[in-house]
Amino acid sequence: MNKFLFKHIDNSGLIVFRIVFGLLCFLESVGAVFTGWVRRTLIEPEFTFSFIGFEWLQPLPGNWMYAYYIVMGMFGLLIMVGYKYRFSMFMFATMWTATYLMQKSSYNNHYYLLFILSYLMVFLPAHRYASLDVRFNPSLKRISMPSWCKWIFVIQLFILYTYASIAKLYPDWLDTSVVALLMKGRAYYPIIGDLLQKEWIHYFIAYGGILFDGLIIPLLLLKRTRKYAFFISIFFHLFNSIVFQIGIFPYLSLAFSLFFFEPKTVRDIFLKKKEFYTLNELKVPTYNKLLIGIFSIYFLIHIALPLRIHYFEDNVLWTEEGHRLSWRMMLRAKRGTVAYTVIDEATNNTIPIKLNDYLTKKQQRSASTKPDFIWQFAQRLKKDFAKHGKSVKVYVRAYVSVNGKPSKQLIDPKVDLANEEWYHFKHHDWILPSK
């Protein structure tokens, strides 16, 4: 184990990855401002649906979230050039974590991955070459790194892609009905819109996705298949970038290839002036057992989190319980209708609720189909009326269709959600059965 983790290898891959990672952090941050994402997601809403337990974490008032994202982007540039690297990386990680936790209306697994990577990068010696830190302090310069700095990425990616592949092995994906629904919403795309409606394209996407996610890491690890796998990766991720428009993730995924190619190849392409490390020294730190223990716990957590869906009752596609942090990517299309009924406990009068008075259109879609959003909005209504001296009950009638199937009632209309507790690791009985 010591030899596997602590044998030193050339660090060219990590150095180039830092540069690319910092650039992508910058582009993700400023891109969110200039595409209007910050305005739509963090400024326009009266409040945001945060991760449960982080309701206190809300966007800055007025237009200050624009400044927040610009500052976060500046930290991305500092990461890229390697200036005050660990501080800059920690600040970006902290700021990204805050925006990740304060809203989930735009949740996707790519934001989760960036959250994980940002903290991992804080502890990696990615600033030891081609950085301003080295220019100002030459004693920091290194041309090697312990092997674990590579394998922590490889194992993390293997977990991600394996779960992403397994999650697709269910009927609605295998018969391409989910893909067909996803592509229907892209029929307006110029040039490729009509092509995306073809049945054979749906099968190509459905089964190509399963095979790619399940095989790409082993194929990149094997020298005989590495180049072919890399070219397939380029096509796959560029296709995703064009069709699904998922920000920096496709390009971040391609950047991970740096850890699969031989370090000398990476050095020869990107860092031609860098001395190549050939000593293969074994440098076991005195805290090696602690480090191995931390690695073990870290990966056990990431293996266990996606498995928790099996401990909840009913289907995760219906209940959403355990959906997040599980690498379940683009697996369902949901639509629904909802009516919130507020009853004044003192007078027993019904108070009409218009969602347009509280939520943006995007928030309304989630508050119509996802139980945790519905519960949070019920709690929000309770608090809002309490500010005006009213104690209320909140009842919900929600009908939801999953993957184009007939609508069914999602929430027990007899349960007062305003007075229900939320449980992170327990099924909620007020979510009606899917069957």
Side-chain angles (χ1 to χ4, degrees):
M1 181 62 73
N2 282 340
K3 185 176 181 180
F4 174 74
L5 293 176
F6 302 113
K7 185 183 74 171
H8 271 237
I9 58 176
D10 186 86
N11 64 355
S12 296
L14 180 60
I15 301 304
V16 177
F17 182 79
R18 183 208 82 225
I19 296 169
V20 175
F21 184 75
L23 176 61
L24 292 176
C25 289
F26 168 76
L27 293 174
E28 178 70 23
S29 301
V30 299
V33 173
F34 291 109
T35 60
W37 186 93
V38 170
R39 173 180 52 78
R40 294 189 303 271
T41 308
L42 299 172
I43 294 177
E44 289 182 350
E46 181 181 335
F47 72 100
T48 60
F49 286 94
S50 63
F51 277 71
I52 294 174
F54 292 90
E55 287 80 5
W56 54 272
L57 197 56
Q58 289 290 308
L60 298 174
N63 292 321
W64 280 104
M65 288 308 295
Y66 288 133
Y68 185 100
Y69 264 75
I70 293 297
V71 170
M72 193 161 63
M74 293 303 103
F75 280 119
L77 287 181
L78 294 178
I79 293 164
M80 182 179 73
V81 300
Y83 180 70
K84 302 291 183 182
Y85 168 74
R86 295 199 191 278
F87 172 76
S88 299
M89 193 68 254
F90 177 77
M91 288 304 298
F92 178 86
T94 302
M95 295 181 75
W96 182 262
T97 300
T99 59
Y100 173 77
L101 293 175
M102 74 173 58
Q103 71 81 27
K104 58 185 179 184
S105 297
S106 295
Y107 174 88
N108 65 49
N109 285 279
H110 316 140
Y111 296 161
Y112 173 44
L113 178 62
L114 189 53
F115 157 68
I116 294 170
L117 288 177
S118 296
Y119 282 109
L120 286 179
M121 288 291 287
V122 172
F123 300 99
L124 293 172
H127 62 310
R128 296 297 187 120
Y129 191 87
S131 70
L132 291 180
D133 285 350
V134 167
R135 175 169 291 186
F136 297 140
N137 184 4
S139 65
L140 290 174
K141 184 177 178 180
R142 300 287 188 277
I143 61 171
S144 70
M145 66 182 183
S147 292
W148 65 262
C149 295
K150 164 190 172 178
W151 287 106
I152 199 167
F153 287 100
V154 174
I155 297 170
Q156 181 72 70
L157 290 172
F158 180 73
I159 293 171
L160 184 164
Y161 279 113
T162 300
Y163 275 121
S165 179
I166 293 172
K168 293 180 176 69
L169 299 175
Y170 83 101
D172 289 353
W173 185 272
L174 296 175
D175 68 12
T176 76
S177 57
V178 178
V179 177
L181 286 169
L182 293 174
M183 294 304 106
K184 187 177 181 180
R186 291 159 175 82
Y188 67 91
Y189 281 11
I191 303 175
I192 63 171
D194 290 337
L195 179 64
L196 294 176
Q197 310 313 308
K198 304 293 185 183
E199 185 177 4
W200 69 269
I201 283 288
H202 299 163
Y203 276 95
F204 176 77
I205 293 172
Y207 287 86
I210 293 170
L211 292 172
F212 180 87
D213 290 343
L215 297 176
I216 190 60
I217 299 303
L219 291 178
L220 283 170
L221 284 171
L222 294 173
K223 188 174 182 179
R224 287 185 299 175
T225 55
R226 186 173 296 142
K227 288 184 180 179
Y228 304 106
F230 179 62
F231 287 120
I232 292 172
S233 292
I234 293 174
F235 172 81
F236 179 84
H237 290 301
L238 289 182
F239 178 87
N240 283 345
S241 179
I242 295 167
V243 173
F244 296 110
Q245 299 179 7
I246 46 180
I248 66 168
F249 178 69
Y251 308 99
L252 180 60
S253 298
L254 288 173
F256 287 129
S257 301
L258 291 162
F259 297 105
F260 293 90
F261 282 94
E262 294 296 329
K264 191 173 190 305
T265 302
V266 176
R267 193 285 306 261
D268 290 346
I269 295 174
F270 297 104
L271 300 169
K272 294 180 179 180
K273 295 182 180 180
K274 178 179 177 293
E275 181 184 353
F276 183 69
Y277 177 80
T278 57
L279 296 180
N280 293 324
E281 299 169 289
L282 180 62
K283 300 179 181 180
V284 182
T286 55
Y287 51 87
N288 63 316
K289 292 183 179 179
L290 174 62
L291 201 57
I292 291 172
I294 292 172
F295 286 155
S296 300
I297 294 171
Y298 172 84
F299 285 118
L300 283 174
I301 290 172
H302 283 276
I303 290 170
L305 278 174
L307 295 175
R308 73 192 192 282
I309 64 169
H310 301 293
Y311 293 92
F312 288 110
E313 295 177 28
D314 215 330
N315 192 328
V316 63
L317 296 171
W318 178 252
T319 68
E320 298 281 323
E321 292 171 322
H323 170 79
R324 297 184 189 90
L325 317 185
S326 298
W327 310 120
R328 301 180 59 79
M329 304 181 194
M330 297 183 183
L331 293 176
R332 80 278 195 251
K334 302 179 83 169
R335 57 180 175 82
T337 59
V338 67
Y340 289 81
T341 301
V342 173
I343 305 295
D344 188 330
E345 290 187 335
T347 65
N348 210 35
N349 290 335
T350 299
I351 304 171
I353 298 296
K354 296 181 180 179
L355 294 186
N356 288 334
D357 294 339
Y358 295 88
L359 306 175
T360 65
K361 293 298 182 184
K362 187 167 189 175
Q363 288 178 320
Q364 288 181 38
R365 288 193 291 272
S366 293
S368 301
T369 58
K370 299 175 182 177
D372 59 325
F373 280 79
I374 292 172
W375 177 85
Q376 282 182 289
F377 186 51
Q379 300 297 309
R380 177 77 182 191
L381 290 171
K382 178 183 178 180
K383 291 179 181 178
D384 281 356
F385 281 100
K387 292 177 183 177
H388 296 90
K390 292 184 179 180
S391 178
V392 300
K393 297 178 181 179
V394 181
Y395 299 95
V396 177
R397 288 186 179 273
Y399 291 85
V400 173
S401 168
V402 180
N403 296 339
K405 292 180 171 58
S407 295
K408 295 180 181 179
Q409 196 162 17
L410 177 66
I411 305 298
D412 188 341
K414 299 178 182 178
V415 174
D416 171 19
L417 291 187
N419 291 296
E420 286 290 317
E421 296 290 328
W422 183 264
Y423 305 102
H424 289 283
F425 300 102
K426 180 183 175 182
H427 175 67
H428 299 86
D429 293 333
W430 45 264
I431 303 175
L432 294 174
S434 61
K435 296 179 180 179

